[in-house]
Amino acid sequence: DAGITQSPRHKVTETGTPVTLRCHQTENHRYMYWYRQDPGHGLRLIHYSYGVKDTDKGEVSDGYSVSRSKTEDFLLTLESATSSQTSVYFCAISDNIMNTEAFFGQGTRLTVV
Amino acid sequence: QKEVEQDPGPLSVPEGAIVSLNCTYSNSAFQYFMWYRQYSRKGPELLMYTYSSGNKEDGRFTAQVDKSSKYISLFIRDSQPSDSATYLCAMSAQGAQKLVFGQGTRLTINP
């Protein structure tokens, strides 16, 4: 398995609180991604990074921010959690721009109450 | 209209059957086509990818891409109960830096 670890694996938080999810990789891949997965929507891209301190928005970025200060770590922050952000969050890594071999973490199940 | 359309199923077939999973897409710039398998409560895992049109085979799995019709398929031969999972198609364009996913087809292989 690719060396990619997400933490925490499960989290329950209250509406309005900030939440940070962590993705850690040991593959030294350049590209890192955060997706959310919801029934009926599949995987949707939140933010991605193409290098240290280089990030960009995906299709569902509102309410989320990211940071990448080291190659191996990509953090996703929900600035003020809302119930609509209840979802399963996946981190992915890739060593090429076309994502032909993207590897996914095990996911973080986030519930906002 | 979504860029990538995939029938969510569920699809249920007997063990040993040939399974056909499909996606259509609207963006003619897509050149890289991937299939992922996702078991319940796990992350997606890459099965195979294909560049441009044509076929690619890996064991019991065959991926087909027809760019003229904007249609891709994954065939599973001699299906096994262990193939029961959600199958996601994904696509990317040259230099796009990101994948676009279909919503996944839930497949069950019955012993």
Side-chain angles (χ1 to χ4, degrees):
Chain A
D1 289 346
I4 178 169
T5 305
Q6 290 185 233
S7 59
R9 294 291 314 279
H10 302 271
K11 187 171 182 66
V12 180
T13 192
E14 293 186 349
T15 299
T17 60
V19 177
T20 295
L21 309 182
R22 181 182 185 232
C23 179
H24 179 77
Q25 62 145 328
T26 58
E27 304 294 326
N28 201 36
H29 284 353
R30 177 180 176 184
Y31 302 94
M32 299 186 75
Y33 304 82
W34 278 107
Y35 292 88
R36 59 178 290 174
Q37 187 173 38
D38 305 287
H41 290 281
L43 284 156
R44 292 181 292 173
L45 182 65
I46 305 171
H47 280 282
Y48 65 99
S49 170
Y50 46 96
V52 173
K53 299 193 190 306
D54 293 323
T55 64
D56 206 348
K57 297 179 179 179
E59 63 179 303
V60 290
S61 59
D62 287 348
Y64 301 95
S65 62
V66 290
S67 66
R68 190 170 179 199
S69 58
K70 298 184 291 185
T71 298
E72 56 266 35
D73 289 324
F74 192 32
L75 304 180
L76 176 71
T77 298
L78 287 66
E79 293 141 10
S80 177
T82 67
S83 58
S84 65
Q85 293 176 312
T86 292
S87 186
V88 181
Y89 291 85
F90 288 100
C91 175
I93 61 174
S94 176
D95 65 353
N96 67 75
I97 195 173
M98 285 74 67
N99 280 258
T100 52
E101 294 191 1
F103 297 99
F104 283 78
Q106 293 286 64
T108 294
R109 190 169 294 269
L110 177 68
T111 303
V112 183
V113 298
Chain B
Q1 182 186 3
K2 294 181 179 179
E3 276 191 290
V4 180
E5 299 277 0
Q6 183 176 8
D7 186 338
L11 180 63
S12 182
V13 301
E15 183 176 355
I18 296 175
V19 177
S20 173
L21 303 167
N22 311 293
C23 290
T24 59
Y25 62 96
S26 58
N27 187 348
S28 57
F30 288 145
Q31 292 185 296
Y32 301 89
F33 304 92
M34 277 66 73
W35 285 97
Y36 284 84
R37 177 175 63 196
Q38 185 177 23
Y39 292 115
S40 181
R41 295 185 174 266
K42 299 290 186 182
E45 58 177 323
L46 178 67
L47 283 175
M48 53 202 309
Y49 85 88
T50 308
Y51 170 69
S52 194
S53 285
N55 294 359
K56 187 172 184 178
E57 186 174 320
D58 184 0
R60 296 184 296 110
F61 298 89
T62 299
Q64 285 187 353
V65 175
D66 181 351
K67 290 193 70 179
S68 63
S69 301
K70 296 189 178 69
Y71 187 88
I72 70 169
S73 301
L74 178 71
F75 297 96
I76 306 174
R77 294 186 301 280
D78 187 25
S79 55
Q80 305 295 310
S82 58
D83 295 328
S84 297
T86 296
Y87 289 79
L88 300 137
C89 64
M91 308 175 188
S92 67
Q94 185 76 31
Q97 298 191 81
K98 50 192 174 182
L99 290 171
V100 180
F101 282 85
Q103 65 178 86
T105 299
R106 188 173 176 182
L107 172 67
T108 300
I109 308 297
N110 301 302

